[in-house]
Amino acid sequence: NKLLPILQSNQDADSTSVSAAMDEELQEAGDQVLLSLEEKQRNLINSLGLERYKIGGTDDDWKAAIEESAKSGTLNSISVKRTMKKFNPNNKGDNNNNKDDNN
């Protein structure tokens, strides 16, 4: 009769350690899946060529446009004259060089 409580105590300790080990393993697997998903999302976003939607003009250009618009009382639309080159998906650099555009 004295062995039964000891055996039950050992079983409880074993099941607790197994449960903790499984929880840790599950957490690690979940972390790996999330890292993999984040990397895939980052690669997808980087492959979209979003540089063509980059807003042109310098901070000074925009500040001057805002001040000019405020003087005229028309803050509904603000534009900065800038130059823009044709979109090249292989070019990750600045896209502000070829034709004049009022955007």
Side-chain angles (χ1 to χ4, degrees):
N1 288 340
K2 291 182 181 181
L3 282 179
L4 189 58
I6 293 172
L7 290 175
Q8 286 178 340
S9 174
N10 285 342
Q11 282 181 335
D12 290 343
D14 287 345
S15 67
T16 301
S17 64
V18 168
S19 179
M22 289 177 64
D23 286 344
E24 185 178 328
E25 186 177 335
L26 182 60
Q27 183 65 43
E28 288 176 10
D31 291 345
Q32 289 176 352
V33 168
L34 286 176
L35 287 174
S36 175
L37 180 60
E38 288 172 356
E39 183 180 353
K40 287 178 184 179
Q41 289 173 335
R42 201 172 314 115
N43 290 337
L44 176 62
I45 289 170
N46 290 340
S47 73
L48 292 175
L50 299 177
E51 282 292 316
R52 63 181 161 182
Y53 299 107
K54 181 176 154 185
I55 296 174
T58 65
D59 288 344
D60 291 336
D61 292 338
W62 283 101
K63 184 177 179 181
I66 291 169
E67 288 172 358
E68 184 65 34
S69 184
K71 286 179 191 175
S72 68
T74 57
L75 286 174
N76 293 335
S77 176
I78 299 172
S79 64
V80 172
K81 186 169 184 159
R82 65 184 174 102
T83 58
M84 186 172 116
K85 66 181 177 180
K86 190 173 184 178
F87 173 69
N88 179 355
N90 297 323
N91 182 8
K92 298 280 185 188
D94 187 25
N95 288 336
N96 295 335
N97 287 341
N98 270 346
K99 74 176 190 187
D100 284 342
D101 191 9
N102 285 333
N103 286 337

